[in-house]
Tab-separated table of all heavy atoms in Angstrom:
chain	number	residue	atom	x	y	z
Q	454	VAL	N	-9.208	45.954	-3.787
Q	454	VAL	CA	-9.594	47.045	-4.686
Q	454	VAL	C	-8.530	47.241	-5.760
Q	454	VAL	O	-8.830	47.365	-6.955
Q	454	VAL	CB	-9.812	48.346	-3.880
Q	454	VAL	CG1	-9.969	49.539	-4.815
Q	454	VAL	CG2	-11.032	48.201	-2.987
Q	455	LEU	N	-7.252	47.223	-5.343
Q	455	LEU	CA	-6.164	47.402	-6.318
Q	455	LEU	C	-6.152	46.263	-7.333
Q	455	LEU	O	-5.914	46.477	-8.520
Q	455	LEU	CB	-4.814	47.469	-5.593
Q	455	LEU	CG	-4.583	48.717	-4.727
Q	455	LEU	CD1	-3.239	48.618	-4.014
Q	455	LEU	CD2	-4.636	49.994	-5.579
Q	456	ALA	N	-6.419	45.039	-6.854
Q	456	ALA	CA	-6.420	43.884	-7.756
Q	456	ALA	C	-7.519	44.030	-8.802
Q	456	ALA	O	-7.331	43.706	-9.979
Q	456	ALA	CB	-6.609	42.593	-6.964
Q	457	ILE	N	-8.680	44.535	-8.362
Q	457	ILE	CA	-9.794	44.710	-9.298
Q	457	ILE	C	-9.490	45.862	-10.253
Q	457	ILE	O	-9.626	45.729	-11.479
Q	457	ILE	CB	-11.106	44.966	-8.517
Q	457	ILE	CG1	-11.484	43.697	-7.736
Q	457	ILE	CG2	-12.232	45.385	-9.453
Q	457	ILE	CD1	-12.630	43.887	-6.757
Q	458	LEU	N	-9.039	47.001	-9.701
Q	458	LEU	CA	-8.726	48.158	-10.542
Q	458	LEU	C	-7.639	47.825	-11.564
Q	458	LEU	O	-7.715	48.233	-12.716
Q	458	LEU	CB	-8.267	49.338	-9.670
Q	458	LEU	CG	-9.376	50.076	-8.916
Q	458	LEU	CD1	-8.786	51.237	-8.117
Q	458	LEU	CD2	-10.440	50.579	-9.892
Q	459	GLY	N	-6.623	47.074	-11.116
Q	459	GLY	CA	-5.513	46.734	-12.011
Q	459	GLY	C	-6.006	46.069	-13.280
Q	459	GLY	O	-5.602	46.426	-14.394
Q	460	LYS	N	-6.906	45.093	-13.122
Q	460	LYS	CA	-7.417	44.392	-14.314
Q	460	LYS	C	-8.403	45.269	-15.082
Q	460	LYS	O	-8.380	45.317	-16.308
Q	460	LYS	CB	-8.091	43.072	-13.903
Q	460	LYS	CG	-7.116	41.992	-13.457
Q	460	LYS	CD	-6.351	41.352	-14.615
Q	460	LYS	CE	-5.397	40.284	-14.086
Q	460	LYS	NZ	-4.498	39.726	-15.110
Q	461	LEU	N	-9.270	45.967	-14.344
Q	461	LEU	CA	-10.264	46.806	-15.026
Q	461	LEU	C	-9.573	47.852	-15.891
Q	461	LEU	O	-9.913	48.023	-17.065
Q	461	LEU	CB	-11.156	47.514	-13.998
Q	461	LEU	CG	-12.349	46.739	-13.439
Q	461	LEU	CD1	-13.150	47.622	-12.498
Q	461	LEU	CD2	-13.240	46.231	-14.567
Q	462	ILE	N	-8.576	48.522	-15.316
Q	462	ILE	CA	-7.887	49.584	-16.059
Q	462	ILE	C	-6.999	48.973	-17.145
Q	462	ILE	O	-7.100	49.319	-18.316
Q	462	ILE	CB	-7.049	50.471	-15.108
Q	462	ILE	CG1	-7.977	51.134	-14.080
Q	462	ILE	CG2	-6.272	51.521	-15.889
Q	462	ILE	CD1	-7.230	51.878	-12.977
Q	463	GLY	N	-6.139	48.019	-16.729
Q	463	GLY	CA	-5.184	47.446	-17.680
Q	463	GLY	C	-5.890	46.809	-18.871
Q	463	GLY	O	-5.648	47.171	-20.027
Q	464	CYS	N	-6.787	45.864	-18.589
Q	464	CYS	CA	-7.448	45.132	-19.673
Q	464	CYS	C	-8.432	46.034	-20.407
Q	464	CYS	O	-8.595	45.937	-21.623
Q	464	CYS	CB	-8.162	43.897	-19.133
Q	464	CYS	SG	-7.068	42.811	-18.224
Q	465	GLY	N	-9.096	46.904	-19.633
Q	465	GLY	CA	-10.056	47.810	-20.252
Q	465	GLY	C	-9.384	48.753	-21.252
Q	465	GLY	O	-9.834	48.892	-22.390
Q	466	LEU	N	-8.273	49.343	-20.814
Q	466	LEU	CA	-7.531	50.253	-21.691
Q	466	LEU	C	-7.175	49.587	-23.019
Q	466	LEU	O	-7.242	50.210	-24.076
Q	466	LEU	CB	-6.225	50.685	-21.009
Q	466	LEU	CG	-6.227	51.999	-20.224
Q	466	LEU	CD1	-4.804	52.320	-19.755
Q	466	LEU	CD2	-6.772	53.143	-21.098
Q	467	ALA	N	-6.801	48.314	-22.924
Q	467	ALA	CA	-6.330	47.602	-24.111
Q	467	ALA	C	-7.408	47.493	-25.184
Q	467	ALA	O	-7.100	47.354	-26.370
Q	467	ALA	CB	-5.831	46.209	-23.722
Q	468	VAL	N	-8.684	47.547	-24.785
Q	468	VAL	CA	-9.762	47.391	-25.778
Q	468	VAL	C	-10.711	48.592	-25.754
Q	468	VAL	O	-11.852	48.488	-26.185
Q	468	VAL	CB	-10.575	46.096	-25.541
Q	468	VAL	CG1	-9.790	44.878	-25.932
Q	468	VAL	CG2	-11.046	45.990	-24.097
Q	469	ILE	N	-10.225	49.720	-25.271
Q	469	ILE	CA	-11.100	50.879	-25.101
Q	469	ILE	C	-11.658	51.358	-26.441
Q	469	ILE	O	-12.752	51.912	-26.513
Q	469	ILE	CB	-10.363	52.020	-24.342
Q	469	ILE	CG1	-11.375	53.063	-23.832
Q	469	ILE	CG2	-9.301	52.672	-25.198
Q	469	ILE	CD1	-12.224	52.554	-22.689
Q	470	LYS	N	-10.920	51.069	-27.535
Q	470	LYS	CA	-11.387	51.461	-28.867
Q	470	LYS	C	-12.719	50.804	-29.228
Q	470	LYS	O	-13.485	51.317	-30.034
Q	470	LYS	CB	-10.357	51.060	-29.923
Q	470	LYS	CG	-9.253	52.095	-30.118
Q	470	LYS	CD	-8.468	51.754	-31.368
Q	470	LYS	CE	-7.061	52.315	-31.323
Q	470	LYS	NZ	-6.163	51.565	-32.202
Q	471	SER	N	-12.974	49.611	-28.661
Q	471	SER	CA	-14.225	48.906	-28.968
Q	471	SER	C	-15.395	49.440	-28.149
Q	471	SER	O	-16.483	48.867	-28.185
Q	471	SER	CB	-14.073	47.411	-28.697
Q	471	SER	OG	-12.982	46.901	-29.421
Q	472	GLY	N	-15.158	50.492	-27.425
Q	472	GLY	CA	-16.242	51.096	-26.659
Q	472	GLY	C	-16.133	50.769	-25.182
Q	472	GLY	O	-15.512	49.769	-24.787
Q	473	PHE	N	-16.766	51.596	-24.390
Q	473	PHE	CA	-16.662	51.479	-22.950
Q	473	PHE	C	-17.276	50.176	-22.433
Q	473	PHE	O	-16.742	49.525	-21.540
Q	473	PHE	CB	-17.348	52.680	-22.293
Q	473	PHE	CG	-17.241	52.668	-20.806
Q	473	PHE	CD1	-16.035	52.978	-20.171
Q	473	PHE	CD2	-18.329	52.314	-20.017
Q	473	PHE	CE1	-15.933	52.952	-18.795
Q	473	PHE	CE2	-18.230	52.279	-18.635
Q	473	PHE	CZ	-17.026	52.599	-18.033
Q	474	LYS	N	-18.404	49.785	-23.055
Q	474	LYS	CA	-19.103	48.600	-22.564
Q	474	LYS	C	-18.245	47.335	-22.721
Q	474	LYS	O	-18.086	46.557	-21.776
Q	474	LYS	CB	-20.418	48.442	-23.321
Q	474	LYS	CG	-21.349	47.436	-22.674
Q	474	LYS	CD	-22.651	47.311	-23.444
Q	474	LYS	CE	-23.314	45.978	-23.175
Q	474	LYS	NZ	-24.330	45.654	-24.174
Q	475	VAL	N	-17.670	47.169	-23.922
Q	475	VAL	CA	-16.798	46.012	-24.158
Q	475	VAL	C	-15.601	46.058	-23.207
Q	475	VAL	O	-15.230	45.046	-22.595
Q	475	VAL	CB	-16.323	45.977	-25.626
Q	475	VAL	CG1	-15.173	44.995	-25.802
Q	475	VAL	CG2	-17.482	45.616	-26.541
Side-chain angles (χ1 to χ4, degrees):
Chain Q
V454 170
L455 292 177
I457 293 171
L458 284 181
K460 288 285 180 187
L461 276 183
I462 299 172
C464 304
L466 265 186
V468 287
I469 195 71
K470 275 192 205 157
S471 304
F473 182 74
K474 193 180 157 197
V475 166

